[in-house]
Amino acid sequence: MAVFLSMTIFWKLRIVSLKAKESQQGSNKYSKANRTSTGILMSSLLFITVPSVCVGVVELTGFSIFKLIGPFYSACLLVSGCCNGIIFIASNWDNVKPKKQSVTIHKMSTVLSVAQSNDGKWH
């Protein structure tokens, strides 16, 4: 079911990107969003859905893969989260990259006024 839903979302993203290219209006914002969405869906399929299906098939045979490998599902979630972060940064690098900041130091001039005294009287 998850693979079917992901495939329909890929198909819809493809249709939206083709319509955006035809109109040439807003194609850049759709291409970034499509790239991010497609990458996150692919990493979710690769690191969450496929291992879960494989474990389900192996569990149906009566062999417990959890006893052999351990809590791999937690590791798959961690890897999927890291990949999603990398995909997001890579597809939105223009907005995420650090800006170069120039440091300017302005000199302030101070003027010291000196009062002159004539016989102890200030003027």
Side-chain angles (χ1 to χ4, degrees):
M1 187 69 165
V3 173
F4 174 73
L5 290 174
S6 295
M7 295 307 277
T8 57
I9 291 172
F10 288 138
W11 181 65
K12 285 295 219 180
L13 287 173
R14 182 72 178 155
I15 289 173
V16 168
S17 68
L18 289 176
K19 285 183 182 178
K21 285 182 183 177
E22 289 173 2
S23 68
Q24 293 296 324
Q25 181 181 8
S27 64
N28 189 26
K29 71 176 182 179
Y30 283 127
S31 67
K32 282 186 178 181
N34 288 347
R35 215 174 320 140
T36 304
S37 300
T38 303
I40 288 174
L41 280 173
M42 289 299 289
S43 73
S44 296
L45 277 174
L46 182 65
F47 294 114
I48 295 175
T49 306
V50 171
S52 296
V53 169
C54 291
V55 166
V57 169
V58 171
E59 290 285 333
L60 287 175
T61 63
F63 181 72
S64 178
I65 199 162
F66 286 111
K67 290 179 184 175
L68 180 65
I69 297 177
F72 80 99
Y73 190 71
S74 300
C76 289
L77 286 174
L78 288 172
V79 170
S80 177
C82 291
C83 286
N84 289 346
I86 291 169
I87 289 167
F88 180 79
I89 289 173
S91 64
N92 294 311
W93 182 248
D94 297 338
N95 300 332
V96 177
K97 69 180 173 185
K99 307 280 189 269
K100 291 183 180 178
Q101 295 180 352
S102 62
V103 177
T104 56
I105 299 173
H106 299 285
K107 282 189 171 183
M108 296 180 71
S109 63
T110 57
V111 177
L112 180 62
S113 61
V114 178
Q116 295 180 359
S117 166
N118 287 338
D119 295 335
K121 296 179 183 176
W122 295 96
H123 295 256

